[in-house]
Amino acid sequence: MHYQPKSDLLNHRIILVTGASDGIGREAALTYARYGAEVILMGRNADKLQQVAQAINQLNQCPAHTVVFDLADATPERCHQIGEQLAQQFPRLDGVLHNAGILGEIVPLAELDPQIWQEVMNINLDATFFLTQALLPLLLKSDAGSLVFTTSSVGRTGRAGWGAYAVSKFATEGMMQVLADEYKTHSLRVNCINPGGTRTKMRASAFPQEDANKLKTPADLMPLYLYLMGDDSRRKTGISFDAQPGRKPGAAE
Ligand code: NDP
């Protein structure tokens, strides 16, 4: 995407990023902070989150906040509590990037361990839904809230072996569409990003034989991640965007 945001694009914006400790989420959190946002980093690993917070604090922009939360432990009650705690600290949320996710196992559905199915659905889908419900009141306090889910090309066309991960991403696309329709007359916009094959640890576990140097880095994707959090995307809702338009799904050639 050829998008050149203004350097103050996200000034006065408060943005929460899940899975902010690594990969694409880490890069998005750093990028949002660089463009002026006050960032809330959510993740399960306190040390890794702290390192990202330190990197953000060295930018001399808004200091970062951290919320240590393992999405495997997400229940509606726990997410509601987190929403309440955030409401005591922050007047609103202008953006939420649901980025955290797990791959599970790459095996045919017939062989997929039902426990892995449940873990993937818990983290990629249920936790995302519980957290969304809990954060909606804060998002609706923004005059231009942006709710962004993370999808995948296997969440649009099924692919053999991609099991629960693919199904969870189809459901994520569905959740985005339903919410976008529910809030179409409101200032809240709801969209998905498909990052496309990107150099991260999740990608390396899915394609261990691949030459990672042929893949885009998380930093390469950031124009779209910025676009969807800033004012230039204000009236865009219900859309599943590609961070790498035209990229053929599958291993890098
Ligand atoms: P990474 O595995 O590099 O990072 C995943 C992030 O999610 C990490 O911060 C990880 O935390 C966090 N996370 C995982 N499980 C939990 C949990 N139980 N509770 C809280 N946080 C958790 O993945 P990517 O950056 O590659 O992926 C980011 C998103 O992009 C995912 O939704 C993925 O499905 C999607 N995507 C990625 C593609 C790619 O090629 N990389 C392609 C298409 C979609 P920790 O640091 O503790 O492990």
Side-chain angles (χ1 to χ4, degrees), residues 19 21 24 44 48 70-71 99 151 165 169 198 200-201:
S21 54
I24 298 167
R44 61 183 167 184
K48 284 170 81 175
D70 188 335
L71 293 174
N99 158 84
T151 185
Y165 178 80
K169 295 298 188 182
T198 309
T200 66
K201 73 173 156 64

Side-chain angles (χ1 to χ4, degrees), residues 193-208:
I193 294 180
N194 169 25
T198 309
R199 203 184 305 165
T200 66
K201 73 173 156 64
M202 180 188 284
R203 177 74 191 188
S205 69
F207 293 95

Side-chain angles (χ1 to χ4, degrees), residues 22 24 38 43 49 52 60 72 75 82 96 99 105 108 111 119 149 172 178 182 184 215 242 244 249:
D22 213 330
I24 298 167
E38 184 169 359
L49 275 189
V52 182
N60 289 324
T75 58
I82 289 176
V96 171
N99 158 84
E105 269 181 355
E111 293 160 28
E119 278 170 22
F149 295 99
T172 300
V178 171
E182 288 173 352
K184 66 182 170 204
L215 294 170
D242 283 301
Q244 300 182 54

Side-chain angles (χ1 to χ4, degrees), residues 55-192:
I56 288 177
N57 295 345
Q58 281 165 9
L59 298 172
N60 289 324
Q61 301 262 24
C62 283
H65 309 267
T66 57
V67 179
V68 180
F69 183 40
D70 188 335
L71 293 174
D73 301 330
T75 58
E77 295 72 30
R78 186 71 192 99
C79 290
H80 183 72
Q81 267 176 5
I82 289 176
E84 300 268 285
Q85 282 161 6
L86 291 172
Q88 285 172 12
Q89 264 182 286
F90 302 97
R92 60 177 193 285
L93 286 176
D94 300 294
V96 171
L97 172 64
H98 284 292
N99 158 84
I102 59 167
L103 189 61
E105 269 181 355
I106 303 213
V107 290
L109 273 183
E111 293 160 28
L112 183 66
D113 180 342
Q115 204 178 326
I116 303 272
W117 169 276
Q118 277 172 344
E119 278 170 22
V120 172
M121 289 300 169
N122 276 346
I123 291 165
N124 293 6
L125 184 61
D126 295 351
T128 304
F129 167 62
F130 300 151
L131 208 51
T132 298
Q133 266 198 334
L135 299 179
L136 270 170
L138 273 172
L139 271 168
L140 292 171
K141 287 187 178 168
S142 172
D143 64 349
S146 178
L147 178 55
V148 179
F149 295 99
T150 307
T151 185
S152 163
S153 50
V154 296
R156 295 171 179 165
T157 306
R159 193 186 313 152
W162 283 71
Y165 178 80
V167 179
S168 75
K169 295 298 188 182
F170 267 91
T172 300
E173 296 258 359
M175 183 156 50
M176 176 277 283
Q177 289 182 16
V178 171
L179 281 166
D181 202 38
E182 288 173 352
Y183 290 97
K184 66 182 170 204
T185 57
H186 198 279
S187 57
L188 178 69
R189 57 199 191 281
V190 190
N191 296 289
C192 275

